[in-house]
Amino acid sequence: MGSGFRLIFDCILLLMLFGICQSSTVGVCYGRNADDLPTADKVVQLIQLHNIKNVRIYDSNIQILKAFANTGIELMIGISNLDLLPFAQFQSNADTWLKNSILPYYPATKITYITVGAEVTEAPNNVSALVVPAMQNVFTALRKAGLHRKIKVSSTHSLGILSRSFPPSAGAFNSSHAFFLRPMLEFLAEHQSPFMVDIYPYYAYRDSSSNVSLDYALFESSSEVIDPNTGWLYTNMFDAQIDAIYFALMALNFRTIKIMVTETGWPSKGSPKETAATPDNAQTYNTNLIRHVINDTGTPAKPGEEIDVYIFSLFNENRKPGLESERNWGLFFPDQTSVYNLDFTGRGSLDTTTGSNITSSNGTSWCIASPTASEDDLRKGLDWACSSGNVDCSAIQPSQPCFEPDSLASHASYAFNSYYQQNGATDIACRFGGAGIRTNKNPSYDNCLYMTLG
């Protein structure tokens, strides 16, 4: 038996037995520090439309937990820094929270991770000492409910938890955090939970543009950075930062803990001095990131290693303080229109001018229902386009020009195309969770005229 076939066979066997050999995933952070955001139900429709399977929220809001019920979307929920004290003080507080805020909605809502605290080393009040006791109490509550193997407990960190990150092989944790960091790492190793970190190559470039090239931060570099200790070649900042954490973990003899990136992204707008915060750069970074992750490329230190990543953020959040860029990390505006073209499958084009490579001789393309789409996907896409998508669907109502043929595929095609044209005829505007497909043949018929761009 060939080695390649043996590897595939072994992987399939392990998958059947243990549920492993799964690929890396790309999710999105759903922050809500903004005005005029859509209702939770509409947000879920938007997430489903773009085929996003993993979502991080920063609390355990009941309305949001309800909205994600029976969607199959895996949800990471959070306990804020402000709530760490009661969770750390008494086991009963964690037990009550789980009973009242989680158990009524699980497993219909597929909660897979709980983050206990967020970037505590960056918090204005020193709450680091509370993290591990709170994590232990949450874990104990989950164990009592029989959920400790299904819902993992961890805490998120900024890259500032390192005292050194370059070269990657010299990565080291800041010794001032040792008092809580080692017990936390012991907890993660014991319970097979990931080390969660928020990674932003944008800040590395913005704050040190004389030392970091923009192409290197955007996964676009044609040159390489050499780690002098290992000889490994780095073509992007993301991998270098991930490997710095791997080496920091290994320096403390923690070699089995996996890394999860709970936030990363690029802003589409900034203050006058933030010249790299543009829609083009944001699209380039996130598109290249998605491709890099879903291909299981790994890093020089861990080639082929799976790593799950969450893009920050779903929406622009206008209430966030700080520089202009802080309010412009979103993939969508609050009205649910795209800030820029992004395809979560990793196959999307980087061309925002045409948005498609399927055009007729006069430069026109249309979006119709895919013949391979399921009825459920077509119905979801149709319902979304005619409601949250702001498409005028009056033409497919009874006695109107596009009602006949009275079929789900025909009605979905009309609605899909209207949304596609209204949103610039871009690649992503015809996704509909895979239910839409572009064509260069005009689908208009009789008195039913399909919209075109402009």
Side-chain angles (χ1 to χ4, degrees):
M1 184 182 293
S3 60
F5 182 82
R6 166 63 69 182
L7 179 62
I8 294 171
F9 177 81
D10 289 346
C11 191
I12 293 173
L13 181 61
L14 286 169
L15 178 60
M16 290 188 297
L17 292 176
F18 302 110
I20 60 176
C21 294
Q22 299 174 355
S23 297
S24 305
T25 60
V26 179
V28 67
C29 300
Y30 171 21
R32 307 193 307 280
N33 195 6
D35 299 312
D36 302 322
L37 289 180
T39 63
D41 289 339
K42 289 186 176 180
V43 170
V44 170
Q45 290 178 358
L46 179 69
I47 288 169
Q48 290 177 313
L49 178 69
H50 293 277
N51 209 28
I52 299 169
K53 303 297 185 183
N54 301 78
V55 174
R56 177 189 177 189
I57 63 173
Y58 295 82
D59 54 18
S60 55
N61 181 279
I62 291 174
Q63 296 306 315
I64 293 178
L65 296 185
K66 288 180 178 178
F68 278 95
N70 303 311
T71 62
I73 295 170
E74 295 190 5
L75 200 62
M76 177 187 297
I77 66 173
I79 296 169
S80 74
N81 293 345
L82 295 176
D83 293 324
L84 286 177
L85 181 59
F87 278 87
Q89 281 183 319
F90 301 109
Q91 179 63 53
S92 59
N93 289 335
D95 294 343
T96 301
W97 173 78
L98 188 73
K99 178 182 177 182
N100 295 337
S101 299
I102 306 302
L103 295 184
Y105 313 104
Y106 183 91
T109 299
K110 197 173 181 181
I111 299 166
T112 52
Y113 292 98
I114 299 174
T115 61
V116 181
E119 297 188 354
V120 291
T121 58
E122 306 292 326
N125 298 320
N126 190 353
V127 293
S128 301
L130 302 175
V131 173
V132 175
M135 289 171 63
Q136 290 171 333
N137 285 344
V138 171
F139 176 83
T140 300
L142 288 168
R143 186 174 58 193
K144 290 178 181 178
L147 298 178
H148 57 294
R149 291 188 176 91
K150 296 180 179 179
I151 301 176
K152 296 294 185 180
V153 178
S154 189
S155 184
T156 68
H157 308 278
S158 76
L159 202 65
I161 200 167
L162 298 181
S163 60
R164 186 173 182 181
S165 60
F166 186 83
S169 59
F173 288 113
N174 191 319
S175 60
S176 66
H177 304 318
F179 73 96
F180 90 94
L181 188 58
R182 180 171 285 278
M184 190 198 68
L185 295 176
E186 290 171 350
F187 175 96
L188 299 181
E190 180 183 356
H191 302 300
Q192 299 180 324
S193 292
F195 182 88
M196 296 178 168
V197 63
D198 301 338
I199 286 183
Y200 288 102
Y202 168 76
Y203 290 131
Y205 170 76
R206 186 195 68 182
D207 299 339
S208 188
S209 58
S210 60
N211 297 318
V212 178
S213 75
L214 180 59
D215 285 348
Y216 185 65
L218 293 173
F219 295 88
E220 294 276 286
S221 180
S222 57
S223 59
E224 297 160 330
V225 175
I226 301 175
D227 186 315
N229 299 324
T230 61
W232 290 335
L233 305 177
Y234 288 85
T235 59
N236 63 80
M237 173 66 75
F238 180 86
D239 282 353
Q241 292 179 331
I242 292 289
D243 277 358
I245 299 168
Y246 277 130
F247 277 101
L249 289 168
M250 287 190 287
L252 296 179
N253 204 31
F254 291 96
R255 300 175 180 273
T256 62
I257 297 175
K258 289 185 174 292
I259 294 173
M260 175 182 286
V261 178
T262 40
E263 283 184 13
T264 190
W266 198 280
S268 61
K269 183 181 178 182
S271 61
K273 292 184 178 181
E274 296 180 291
T275 56
T278 68
D280 283 349
N281 286 342
Q283 181 197 44
T284 298
Y285 177 81
N286 283 326
T287 298
N288 287 336
L289 170 77
I290 292 170
R291 289 173 178 166
H292 186 68
V293 170
I294 66 175
N295 288 337
D296 288 335
T297 306
T299 67
K302 297 272 190 174
E305 181 85 357
E306 298 167 7
I307 184 166
D308 295 335
V309 169
Y310 289 78
I311 294 177
F312 185 87
S313 176
L314 189 61
F315 295 107
N316 282 342
E317 298 177 76
N318 68 308
R319 293 207 304 255
K320 296 192 73 175
L323 295 174
E324 181 68 19
S325 61
E326 291 300 314
R327 294 175 286 283
N328 289 280
W329 290 84
L331 305 178
F332 298 92
F333 295 108
D335 66 0
Q336 301 181 71
T337 58
S338 299
V339 177
Y340 49 86
N341 184 17
L342 186 66
D343 186 352
F344 270 78
T345 67
R347 297 189 298 268
S349 169
L350 283 178
D351 183 0
T352 56
T353 307
T354 63
S356 171
N357 59 5
I358 300 179
T359 55
S360 64
S361 59
N362 65 355
T364 303
S365 62
W366 294 264
C367 177
I368 59 174
S370 170
T372 62
S374 67
E375 286 193 5
D376 186 51
D377 286 341
L378 289 178
R379 186 171 290 104
K380 285 180 180 177
L382 174 62
D383 292 344
W384 185 88
C386 294
S387 55
S388 300
N390 296 317
V391 167
D392 181 1
C393 292
S394 59
I396 54 176
Q397 301 305 311
S399 303
Q400 297 304 307
C402 301
F403 178 71
E404 297 291 346
D406 182 14
S407 70
L408 180 59
S410 178
H411 292 174
S413 291
Y414 180 87
F416 287 4
N417 182 70
S418 297
Y419 179 84
Y420 174 68
Q421 306 296 348
Q422 289 172 194
N423 288 275
T426 60
D427 203 21
I428 195 65
C430 191
R431 283 295 302 160
F432 292 96
I437 187 172
R438 287 163 291 144
T439 179
N440 60 4
K441 182 179 179 182
N442 191 340
S444 300
Y445 59 93
D446 299 333
N447 292 324
C448 178
L449 302 180
Y450 275 57
M451 183 186 298
T452 55
L453 185 63

